[in-house]
Each structure stands twice: as C-alpha cells, then as structure tokens.
C-alpha cells in the first residue's frame, strides 16, 4: 500500500507539472528614480488579477507555476516578495512598505515580450502614485452642531518674498501660496472668516525672526492657525521619502500616530485612531516613517526669549496642545482621504509658528518636493485641489465637532 501511495503521489506531481507547464522565471526588479519596477515574463495567453492589500500587492496567476520562496529587496518601495505555488495557480506577493490601495501605490502595464510570443506584466511601485484625478464637486459644508457660531482662522502660506523655502520642480513658497488661496476660498464658502498671512510673493520682513513673529501675531483673537508647507530631504533619501505629515506643538519625544483616511462624503465625526495598516507598514520596513525635515535654527525659537511674543491666555497650554493634536488628526485624515497619499503621521515638533500662537495651531507638510514623482505631483492643479480640500474639510470638521464653546 505504501508503494502504491508513493507512485500515486509521483503521478500527481507529474500531472500537475504537465498541466502547468514550465515554471515562470523569477520577477526582475529595477530600482528607478522614485519608484521600483517589477517585471514578470508570462506566456502570451496568461491571465492575472491584482489585489492591493495595504502593506502588500497580491498578483494571482491562474494556471501558472513558480518556484516557491521568499526574496528580499530592501528598497523604499519594495521590501521583498513571496512566491507561492497552489494547486491551480501561482501567487506573487509584493511587500510594499509605502502601501498600496485601489487608488494609489502602484501602476501596471502589459508589453510584448522582448523575445518570443510571450508578454511582460510591468508593475511600478511608489507611494507617490496618488490620486491626481479631478476632484468631483464636493457637497457644500453646513455647520449643524456649531450652527450660528462665527469662526475665524489664520491660514499661513509658509515662506515668501526673499525666502523660497524648499526648491524642487517648483519653489515651496509658490505651492504654499497656491494651496493657501484655495483653502481660503473653501473655508469662506462655509462661512468661516479667513486671514491670510500673505496673498502674494511677499514677507513681513526680510529678517526671518521678525517675519515669523508677525505671522504669529495675526492669530490673536482668532480660533485657529494653520501653516501650510511642502517638505524636502537630503539627496541620499530623496527617492524614498514621500507623503503627508501634520505637526502640532507637543511634548518632547511624543510618538507619531497615524489616523486613517476619512471619506470625502458627509459622515458622522471621524474617530481618530491608528490604522492597523500603518502598523504593518512600519513593521515591514523600520525607518520608512522617519521624521523628515526637522526644524532648522530659524524655525525653532529663532528669537531671543526676551523678544518672544506673549500669547494672550485664551486657553491653557495643555488644552491648546490637546486641541492642536485633534485638529492635526482631522486635517491629515481628510488629506489622506482626498489624495490616497502615504500617511507619515501626526507628529509633534517645536516649530516657532505652532509653539507661540495663542490658539490651536498646526503645520501641514503636503509632500516632498525632493521626491522625483511627488515633486511633480505638487505642480499638478488637480492634486493641489485635493490637498486644499483635505485641509479645508479637516478644519471644518474640527470646528463642527471639536472646538470648545466660548
């Protein structure tokens, strides 16, 4: 009986191999500026399905065979891949530290084989592959719980005048202003009074310390302060760092947290919680969510203590910190929902403009100008519309649901 079972097993293996044909070659991996390219050589009549799983992209190949195994790549967009053989199909699982969703993280195309009659399935992976389609006309926002209250917000277009900020495909000061003007329009349409720190390529003063002090002073008597910026990092990290961050002034060493994307259609208030996907992504490649550009000497306490503005005590510092954190969560959630960009989290920092305001304040980093693809996204008018809507919608949801009664 044992001999019969042995021969039956051998015959089954031979039959499976005959029906599946020759094993596919392993995928080819190419490290490109801002993305990773994966190429699969397939028979001409092969079919496939792709399933984004957040921290992985699963490619199912019916009727194909592969050599099972685990392979490491250690690239910003691809930690590695797993090949699995099932009875009637092969499966390729791409481990994607920057994440994939139905709207973002990957692009595909099929090409003819370089030799023979086969085909090539090309999968490009990057966290900077985001939703740049035109934003559908959003429904008008209407205050319900906060109906009848008059809110006033300062929107700060970071840098300006002699200070260009970060430089990429566009100067940071220019894209900051583009988005600030859009955010003002959206907030005003909802009935919010908006004060811009600048409406053109200007600054309060060529002296950075004076300029920042004047910006902070505009928050006196207002409800919120929102500073808009774009990020950058050193060339050695430029290919791998992309995504959205929102900062608030908080305790030193506070850990970042990662609110989930919020839907763009009207819903009940969004619960601010960490996403399990973000935990998986962090585990897949430690260091992906590094803090990014850190405050420079001109941004952190640039003014001698005796010259610092003294905020009007509209609320105590602990309460302002708590509300700033909540505001940051709301804004990042809606930015993520609008763009499907990489979630780099809500973080605390000692930036001057969020430390010395008298009201809840945040600093938005809307992407990395230094990234080869995300820098180009920040020139795309559709994408700027999505960024702007996310910021404005987050502010409005905060005012509706979270800002304390006066």
């Amino acid at each position: 009986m044992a001999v019969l079972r042995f021969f039956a097993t051998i015959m089954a293996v031979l039959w499976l191999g005959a029906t599946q044909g020759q094993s596919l070659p392993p995928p080819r991996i190419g490290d490109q500026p801002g993305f990773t390219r994966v190429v699969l050589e397939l028979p001409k009549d092969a079919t496939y399905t792709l399933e984004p799983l957040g921290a992985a992209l699963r490619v199912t190949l019916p009727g194909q065979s592969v050599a099972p195994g685990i392979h490491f790549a250690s690239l910003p967009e691809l930690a590695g891949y797993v090949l699995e053989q099932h009875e009637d199909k092969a499966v390729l699982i791409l481990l994607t530290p920057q994440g994939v969703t139905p709207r973002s993280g990957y692009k595909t195309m099929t090409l003819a084989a370089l030799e023979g009659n086969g085909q090539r399935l090309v999968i490009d992976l990057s966290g900077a592959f985001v939703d740049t389609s035109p934003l559908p006309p959003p429904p008008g926002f209407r205050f319900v719980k906060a109906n009848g209250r008059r809110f006033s917000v300062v929107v700060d277009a970071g840098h300006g005048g002699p200070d260009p900020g970060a430089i990429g495909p566009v100067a940071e000061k220019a894209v900051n202003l583009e988005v600030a003007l859009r955010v003002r329009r959206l907030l005003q349409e909802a009935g919010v009074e908006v004060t811009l720190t600048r409406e053109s390529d200007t600054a309060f003063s060529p002296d950075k310390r004076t300029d920042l002090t004047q910006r902070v002073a505009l928050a006196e008597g207002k409800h919120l302060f929102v500073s808009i910026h774009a990020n950058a990092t050193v060339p050695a990290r430029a290919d791998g760092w992309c995504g959205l961050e929102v900062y608030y002034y908080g305790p030193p060493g506070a850990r970042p947290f990662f609110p989930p994307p919020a839907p763009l259609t009207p819903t009940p208030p969004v619960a601010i919680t960490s996403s399990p996907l973000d935990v998986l992504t962090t585990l897949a490649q430690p260091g992906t969510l590094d803090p990014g550009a850190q405050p420079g000497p001109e941004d952190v306490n640039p003014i001698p203590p005796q010259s610092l503005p003294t905020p009007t005590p509209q609320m105590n510092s602990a309460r302002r910190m708590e509300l700033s954190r909540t505001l940051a969560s709301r804004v990042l959630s809606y930015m993520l929902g609008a763009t499907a960009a990489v979630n780099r989290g809500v973080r605390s920092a000692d930036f001057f403009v969020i430390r010395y305001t008298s009201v809840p304040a945040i600093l938005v980093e809307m992407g990395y100008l230094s990234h080869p693809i995300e820098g180009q996204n920040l020139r795309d008018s559709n994408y700027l519309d999505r960024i702007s809507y996310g910021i404005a919608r987050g502010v409005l949801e905060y005012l509706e649901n979270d800002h304390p009664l006066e």
Side-chain angles (χ1 to χ4, degrees), residues 91-120:
V91 174
L92 167 66
I93 301 175
L94 302 171
L95 306 176
T96 54
Q98 295 177 347
V100 288
T101 76
R103 298 166 57 204
S104 64
Y106 73 101
K107 295 181 178 181
T108 64
M109 58 182 168
T110 53
L111 302 171
L114 294 174
E115 297 180 359
N117 296 322
Q119 60 176 317
R120 288 173 290 161

Side-chain angles (χ1 to χ4, degrees), residues 67-72 80-83 95:
I70 300 174
H71 305 267
F72 297 96
Y81 63 91
V82 179
L83 289 168
L95 306 176

Side-chain angles (χ1 to χ4, degrees), residues 137-386:
F141 188 91
R142 184 171 61 90
F143 288 111
V144 178
K145 289 184 286 186
N147 186 34
R149 299 177 65 185
R150 289 289 296 171
F151 294 111
S152 57
V153 174
V154 176
V155 177
D156 171 39
H159 307 283
D163 176 12
I167 299 295
V170 63
E172 181 191 353
K173 66 177 181 179
V175 71
N176 293 348
L177 181 59
E178 286 259 358
V179 170
L181 292 170
R182 286 168 161 85
V183 171
R184 176 177 68 173
R185 175 178 57 81
L186 292 167
L187 293 178
Q188 287 178 335
E189 288 174 356
V192 175
E193 176 188 315
V194 179
T195 301
L196 289 181
T197 58
R198 63 184 181 94
E199 299 188 40
S200 59
D201 185 17
T202 58
F204 285 105
S205 169
D207 176 67
K208 187 68 173 178
R209 297 181 296 180
T210 303
D211 179 59
L212 292 175
T213 304
Q214 297 273 8
R215 293 172 192 247
V216 166
L218 291 176
E220 293 295 321
K222 305 298 193 295
H223 292 93
L224 301 177
F225 183 95
V226 178
S227 188
I228 297 173
H229 289 257
N231 221 329
T233 189
V234 296
R237 295 169 175 164
D239 278 6
W241 285 19
C242 61
L244 309 177
E245 303 163 325
V246 181
Y247 287 88
Y248 69 102
Y249 175 65
R255 293 176 61 86
F257 66 99
F258 305 92
L264 300 189
T265 53
T267 59
V270 175
I272 304 303
T273 59
S274 294
S275 166
L277 168 59
D278 295 312
V279 175
L280 288 175
T281 303
T282 305
L283 293 176
Q285 180 167 324
T288 300
L289 296 169
D290 288 334
Q294 293 301 298
E298 292 183 335
D299 294 320
V300 182
N301 301 350
I303 303 174
Q306 64 271 20
S307 306
L308 290 176
T310 303
T312 303
Q314 295 176 231
M315 58 184 67
N316 66 51
S317 58
R319 181 63 169 149
R320 184 167 63 88
M321 185 183 300
E322 175 191 351
L323 292 172
S324 297
R325 188 177 187 270
T326 301
L327 171 61
S329 301
R330 293 281 186 192
V331 168
L332 182 56
S333 286
Y334 281 97
M335 290 175 70
L336 294 168
T339 64
V342 170
N343 183 354
R344 290 183 58 89
V346 170
R347 299 168 178 270
S348 65
D350 201 16
F351 294 119
F352 181 83
V353 293
I354 56 176
R355 178 173 182 177
Y356 290 106
T357 49
S358 57
V359 297
I362 59 172
L363 187 146
V364 176
E365 292 283 9
M366 54 186 172
Y368 280 74
L369 286 165
S370 50
H371 191 277
I373 298 172
E374 192 161 72
Q376 295 296 334
N377 293 344
L378 290 170
R379 299 180 61 189
D380 186 309
S381 182
N382 290 336
Y383 190 63
L384 297 185
D385 283 342
R386 288 180 172 275

